[in-house]
Every structure is written in structure tokens, then in C-alpha cells.
Amino acid sequence: MATVSDAFYDRAGEFVGVLLPAVWQGMDAALTGALSGLDAGDDPIVDVGAGTGIGTAVIAAAVPGAEIIAVEPHRGLRTALLARIGGDDALRERVTVLDADLLAAPLPERISALVAMNVIGHFPPPDRRDVWALLAQRLTPQGRAVLNLYPPASPQHVPATAMADVRIGRLRYTGTAAAEPAGDDAITWTMTYRVVDDGHTRTEFSATDHWYVFGPEQLAAELAEYDLHVTPGNPAHGIQVITR
Ligand SMILES: C[S@@+](CC[C@H](N)C(=O)[O-])C[C@H]1O[C@@H](n2cnc3c(N)ncnc32)[C@H](O)[C@@H]1O
């Protein structure tokens, strides 16, 4: 099922693969902390928008033995995800990859956790409410959901900010992220990506993506309508832990 962000990931996918690991530095420990003590039992953990699977591997290490369902609708990113999972004997035993939008995915009736890292802004507000309804319906009594919110929490101008700078062989992969308001509940991110070869820019292009913005207070208010509660986790990474 196509998502509105497919065009963005069609263009940016390879850079997402190269530059996201830097975003995960420290976020891996924050997610591990948020999942600490979870008893998954026989009920799987859903990794929403698993991307290339960095977070999937973090979940697998954080909750040993738990089954994981990694939902990734974008074919390019799913290719990288399958390569990561398929190339690791332990992950291959435990992780199922679904080529679906979360809200159309054939999920089991009970899930022990749902993880949505760097994803929730992709969901328009009505779909986001459907995600909360999904949690209310399927989360086990002791289950939890973990997601992250990052600034801005309202539509605002974000000046161009440098992303990671990663060298692979003779080439460097880098870029900037900037945003402009897009209506009263969203921003348009403009990511400019660059491949640099010995000081000379070899490739440069920009890709835009629509991203819905909201803060912890709005999250708490929306969740309350579904009898769900939120507790802030590691503030450095905007982690939010949702329980019944
Ligand atoms: C910025 S990436 C984050 C990937 C991964 N969670 C990580 O942090 O490394 C956002 C991901 O969300 C996925 N996505 C977008 N809309 C989705 C939806 N409706 N259901 C499931 N995944 C979605 C995209 O395809 C993309 O892989």
C-alpha cells in the first residue's frame, strides 16, 4: 500500500540508509531503556516503519526471545531491512517483515509492544487516532508502546541544519535538513543531500516530505480518549512510553 511519503523515500532512501545510523547514536540506549522489563510472553512486538532495521535490531537485543513484526511499506527501505534480517541467523528466526502500511497490516490480535521511532509524523491526525485505537484494541494489559517526538512541536521555520557526515570509501555522504510551516498542524521538511568526492560535490539534490507536528501535551490528550497514558522517557531523544 502506498504512503504519502513514498516519493520522498524513492528519492532519499539510500541517504536515509547511510545517515540514520548517526541519529540512532544514543537513541539505541534510550529505546532499550524504554523497553526495559517488558515481558513479551508469546505476543509479538511491532516495529512500525522499520526502515532499514536499525531499531529492529535494537528491539531484538533489548527484549531477548521476543517475536518481532517489522512493518515497512517502502520497497527500497524494505530491501535493506530484509538484507539486514536475512543476513543474521538470530534475527531471521525472530523477525517477520510485512510489506504494508501499519493500518492495513495483518497484525495479530494481541501485541506486547509497538515501537514507532522517527515515524509518527508521517501519520495524518485521523490516521494517528487509528494508531491509538489499534493500541487500545491490541496491546496486552502489561504492554507498552514507545515512540519519539522531536522538534518542532508546532508548525515553525527550521533553519538548515547539518545532518551527519559519513565517509564510505572515497566518498562522503552528507546533507542539511530545513523546514517550513505547512498549514496549522504540519511542516514540510526539505532535505538536501550531497555526495562529496575529494572536496568536489558529485551529487546534490533536495527532497521534501510532509510531517505532522504535535507535542507531548497533545499526545497525552489524544491518548486519554482511548484510556491510554503516556510517560516521558529519555528526554534527549523525545521518547514517550504509552501504557494502558
Ligand atoms: C524516518 S524513517 C524511520 C525508520 C526507522 N524507524 C528508523 O528510525 O531507523 C520512517 C519510516 O516510516 C515508514 N512509514 C511511513 N508511513 C508509514 C505507515 N503508514 N505505516 C508504516 N510505516 C510507515 C517509512 O516507509 C519509513 O521507513
Side-chain angles (χ1 to χ4, degrees):
M1 182 174 180
T3 74
V4 287
S5 296
D6 273 358
F8 172 74
Y9 289 112
D10 284 351
R11 194 73 181 97
E14 70 190 278
F15 286 85
V16 170
V18 173
L19 300 177
L20 254 185
V23 174
W24 273 93
Q25 281 171 17
M27 190 180 274
D28 49 2
L31 175 58
T32 300
L35 290 171
S36 151
L38 177 74
D39 179 4
D42 292 333
D43 300 307
I45 299 173
V46 176
D47 185 12
V48 181
T52 65
I54 308 173
T56 316
V58 173
I59 296 166
V63 192
E67 181 187 358
I68 299 170
I69 298 177
V71 180
E72 178 46 59
H74 189 267
R75 185 189 298 272
L77 294 175
R78 199 171 59 247
T79 302
L81 173 65
L82 283 163
R84 185 190 298 270
I85 305 301
D88 181 305
D89 289 347
L91 290 178
R92 199 168 55 237
E93 283 299 314
R94 293 171 58 192
V95 182
T96 300
V97 175
L98 295 182
D99 60 340
D101 180 303
L102 172 70
L103 296 172
L107 298 179
E109 281 179 19
R110 282 162 49 102
I111 58 174
S112 58
L114 179 141
V115 175
M117 297 301 288
N118 307 312
V119 170
I120 199 66
H122 280 313
F123 288 81
D127 289 3
R128 196 164 74 218
R129 287 171 183 275
D130 287 345
V131 176
W132 311 149
L134 184 156
L135 292 178
Q137 192 183 1
R138 296 179 197 254
L139 210 54
T140 54
Q142 305 307 321
R144 69 187 83 154
V146 182
L147 57 79
N148 65 329
L149 299 177
Y150 51 84
S154 60
Q156 279 175 28
H157 164 75
V158 179
T161 307
M163 294 193 261
D165 189 327
V166 176
R167 193 173 70 77
I168 298 184
R170 297 183 178 194
L171 304 181
R172 281 177 38 232
Y173 296 75
T174 184
T176 56
E180 293 299 334
D184 58 8
D185 63 358
I187 55 176
T188 300
W189 281 113
T190 298
M191 310 301 194
T192 300
Y193 296 106
R194 221 167 278 121
V195 181
V196 182
D197 182 356
D198 198 20
H200 302 289
T201 299
R202 216 180 137 111
T203 305
E204 180 172 323
F205 68 89
S206 294
T208 60
D209 196 16
H210 197 71
W211 186 257
Y212 294 91
V213 288
F214 60 102
E217 298 79 17
Q218 186 176 338
L219 175 64
E222 290 181 9
L223 290 170
E225 294 176 31
Y226 297 86
D227 285 331
L228 297 167
H229 306 278
V230 59
T231 312
N234 187 319
H237 298 279
I239 298 280
Q240 311 291 325
V241 181
I242 299 167
T243 53
R244 289 191 177 279

Short mmCIF file of all heavy atoms in Angstrom, two decimals, residues 13 18 31 33 46 51-52 62-63 68 70-71 87 105 109 119 124-125 140 169 174 179 190 193 209 214 220 222 228:
data_model
loop_
_atom_site.label_atom_id
_atom_site.label_comp_id
_atom_site.label_asym_id
_atom_site.label_seq_id
_atom_site.Cartn_x
_atom_site.Cartn_y
_atom_site.Cartn_z
N GLY A 13 15.95 7.42 -0.16
CA GLY A 13 16.14 6.16 0.55
C GLY A 13 17.59 5.80 0.83
O GLY A 13 17.94 5.44 1.97
N VAL A 18 22.20 5.63 4.89
CA VAL A 18 23.57 5.99 5.29
C VAL A 18 23.57 6.93 6.50
O VAL A 18 24.43 6.81 7.38
CB VAL A 18 24.31 6.67 4.11
CG1 VAL A 18 25.66 7.21 4.55
CG2 VAL A 18 24.50 5.67 2.97
N LEU A 31 15.93 3.73 23.59
CA LEU A 31 14.87 2.77 23.28
C LEU A 31 15.01 1.52 24.15
O LEU A 31 14.01 1.00 24.67
CB LEU A 31 14.91 2.40 21.79
CG LEU A 31 13.93 1.31 21.34
CD1 LEU A 31 12.48 1.68 21.66
CD2 LEU A 31 14.08 1.02 19.84
N GLY A 33 16.19 1.38 27.11
CA GLY A 33 15.70 1.75 28.44
C GLY A 33 14.17 1.75 28.49
O GLY A 33 13.56 1.29 29.46
N VAL A 46 5.62 -5.02 17.62
CA VAL A 46 5.51 -4.47 16.26
C VAL A 46 6.46 -3.29 16.13
O VAL A 46 6.43 -2.36 16.94
CB VAL A 46 4.06 -4.02 15.97
CG1 VAL A 46 3.97 -3.36 14.59
CG2 VAL A 46 3.11 -5.21 16.05
N GLY A 51 12.04 0.85 8.51
CA GLY A 51 13.13 1.41 7.71
C GLY A 51 14.13 0.33 7.35
O GLY A 51 13.76 -0.77 6.91
N THR A 52 15.40 0.62 7.58
CA THR A 52 16.44 -0.35 7.25
C THR A 52 16.68 -1.34 8.39
O THR A 52 17.54 -2.20 8.29
CB THR A 52 17.77 0.35 6.91
OG1 THR A 52 18.24 1.02 8.09
CG2 THR A 52 17.59 1.38 5.80
N ALA A 62 17.08 -5.77 23.07
CA ALA A 62 16.51 -5.26 24.32
C ALA A 62 15.53 -6.24 24.96
O ALA A 62 15.38 -6.28 26.18
CB ALA A 62 15.79 -3.92 24.07
N VAL A 63 14.83 -7.01 24.11
CA VAL A 63 13.83 -7.96 24.63
C VAL A 63 14.17 -9.35 24.07
O VAL A 63 13.56 -9.81 23.11
CB VAL A 63 12.39 -7.53 24.23
CG1 VAL A 63 11.36 -8.35 25.02
CG2 VAL A 63 12.17 -6.04 24.46
N ILE A 68 9.23 -10.42 16.68
CA ILE A 68 9.10 -9.04 16.20
C ILE A 68 8.42 -9.06 14.83
O ILE A 68 8.76 -9.88 13.97
CB ILE A 68 10.48 -8.36 16.10
CG1 ILE A 68 11.14 -8.31 17.47
CG2 ILE A 68 10.36 -6.95 15.51
CD1 ILE A 68 12.60 -7.89 17.46
N ALA A 70 8.10 -6.53 11.81
CA ALA A 70 8.63 -5.27 11.29
C ALA A 70 7.79 -4.88 10.08
O ALA A 70 7.77 -5.57 9.08
CB ALA A 70 10.10 -5.43 10.90
N VAL A 71 7.08 -3.75 10.22
CA VAL A 71 6.17 -3.30 9.17
C VAL A 71 6.87 -2.20 8.37
O VAL A 71 7.23 -1.15 8.93
CB VAL A 71 4.87 -2.74 9.79
CG1 VAL A 71 3.92 -2.27 8.71
CG2 VAL A 71 4.20 -3.80 10.66
N GLY A 87 20.43 -11.59 6.73
CA GLY A 87 21.86 -11.83 6.89
C GLY A 87 22.26 -12.17 8.31
O GLY A 87 23.45 -12.28 8.61
N ALA A 105 -1.92 -3.50 7.89
CA ALA A 105 -1.10 -4.70 8.11
C ALA A 105 -1.90 -5.78 8.84
O ALA A 105 -2.69 -5.48 9.74
CB ALA A 105 0.15 -4.34 8.93
N GLU A 109 -4.02 -10.40 17.03
CA GLU A 109 -4.99 -9.71 17.89
C GLU A 109 -4.37 -9.09 19.12
O GLU A 109 -4.83 -8.08 19.62
CB GLU A 109 -6.09 -10.69 18.30
CG GLU A 109 -7.09 -10.88 17.21
CD GLU A 109 -8.19 -11.86 17.57
OE1 GLU A 109 -8.37 -12.12 18.77
OE2 GLU A 109 -8.83 -12.35 16.63
N VAL A 119 8.82 8.06 13.15
CA VAL A 119 7.76 7.67 12.23
C VAL A 119 6.45 8.45 12.41
O VAL A 119 5.78 8.75 11.42
CB VAL A 119 7.42 6.16 12.42
CG1 VAL A 119 6.16 5.76 11.67
CG2 VAL A 119 8.57 5.28 11.97
N PRO A 124 -1.21 11.29 9.21
CA PRO A 124 -2.15 12.41 9.36
C PRO A 124 -2.97 12.22 10.64
O PRO A 124 -3.18 11.08 11.06
CB PRO A 124 -3.04 12.30 8.11
CG PRO A 124 -2.31 11.41 7.17
CD PRO A 124 -1.45 10.50 8.00
N PRO A 125 -3.45 13.31 11.27
CA PRO A 125 -4.14 13.19 12.56
C PRO A 125 -5.23 12.11 12.61
O PRO A 125 -5.27 11.35 13.59
CB PRO A 125 -4.67 14.60 12.82
CG PRO A 125 -3.64 15.46 12.16
CD PRO A 125 -3.22 14.73 10.92
N THR A 140 -1.44 -5.78 25.07
CA THR A 140 -1.70 -6.62 26.24
C THR A 140 -1.78 -5.72 27.49
O THR A 140 -1.26 -4.58 27.47
CB THR A 140 -0.58 -7.65 26.42
OG1 THR A 140 0.67 -6.95 26.45
CG2 THR A 140 -0.56 -8.66 25.30
N GLY A 169 34.21 4.58 1.77
CA GLY A 169 35.24 4.50 0.73
C GLY A 169 35.79 5.89 0.43
O GLY A 169 36.15 6.63 1.34
N THR A 174 26.47 13.46 3.00
CA THR A 174 26.09 14.45 4.00
C THR A 174 24.84 15.20 3.53
O THR A 174 24.26 14.85 2.50
CB THR A 174 27.27 15.41 4.28
OG1 THR A 174 26.91 16.30 5.31
CG2 THR A 174 27.69 16.19 3.03
N ALA A 179 13.00 23.20 7.46
CA ALA A 179 11.54 23.02 7.37
C ALA A 179 10.82 24.36 7.34
O ALA A 179 11.33 25.37 7.84
CB ALA A 179 11.04 22.18 8.55
N THR A 190 12.61 19.94 4.05
CA THR A 190 13.40 19.89 2.82
C THR A 190 14.78 19.37 3.20
O THR A 190 15.52 20.01 3.95
CB THR A 190 13.52 21.28 2.18
OG1 THR A 190 12.20 21.73 1.84
CG2 THR A 190 14.37 21.22 0.90
N TYR A 193 20.64 16.59 0.08
CA TYR A 193 21.65 15.53 0.22
C TYR A 193 22.81 15.80 -0.74
O TYR A 193 22.60 16.32 -1.84
CB TYR A 193 21.04 14.17 -0.09
CG TYR A 193 19.94 13.77 0.87
CD1 TYR A 193 18.60 13.81 0.49
CD2 TYR A 193 20.25 13.37 2.17
CE1 TYR A 193 17.60 13.44 1.37
CE2 TYR A 193 19.25 13.01 3.05
CZ TYR A 193 17.92 13.05 2.65
OH TYR A 193 16.93 12.69 3.53
N ASP A 209 9.29 16.40 2.30
CA ASP A 209 8.38 15.45 2.93
C ASP A 209 7.43 16.21 3.85
O ASP A 209 7.83 17.17 4.52
CB ASP A 209 9.19 14.42 3.73
CG ASP A 209 8.36 13.20 4.09
OD1 ASP A 209 7.29 13.00 3.49
OD2 ASP A 209 8.80 12.44 4.97
N PHE A 214 3.26 17.75 16.59
CA PHE A 214 2.48 17.90 17.81
C PHE A 214 3.42 17.64 18.99
O PHE A 214 4.50 17.06 18.81
CB PHE A 214 1.26 16.96 17.83
CG PHE A 214 1.61 15.50 17.74
CD1 PHE A 214 1.59 14.69 18.87
CD2 PHE A 214 1.96 14.93 16.52
CE1 PHE A 214 1.91 13.34 18.79
CE2 PHE A 214 2.29 13.59 16.44
CZ PHE A 214 2.26 12.79 17.57
N ALA A 220 -0.77 13.35 25.03
CA ALA A 220 -1.46 12.86 26.23
C ALA A 220 -2.96 13.03 26.10
O ALA A 220 -3.75 12.14 26.46
CB ALA A 220 -0.94 13.61 27.46
N GLU A 222 -4.78 13.22 23.31
CA GLU A 222 -5.33 12.29 22.31
C GLU A 222 -5.43 10.88 22.91
O GLU A 222 -6.43 10.17 22.73
CB GLU A 222 -4.46 12.27 21.06
CG GLU A 222 -4.53 13.56 20.25
CD GLU A 222 -3.67 13.51 18.99
OE1 GLU A 222 -3.14 12.42 18.66
OE2 GLU A 222 -3.53 14.55 18.33
N LEU A 228 -5.52 5.53 27.33
CA LEU A 228 -4.08 5.24 27.30
C LEU A 228 -3.35 6.39 27.99
O LEU A 228 -3.82 7.54 28.00
CB LEU A 228 -3.60 5.10 25.86
CG LEU A 228 -4.21 3.94 25.05
CD1 LEU A 228 -3.90 4.09 23.57
CD2 LEU A 228 -3.69 2.59 25.57
#
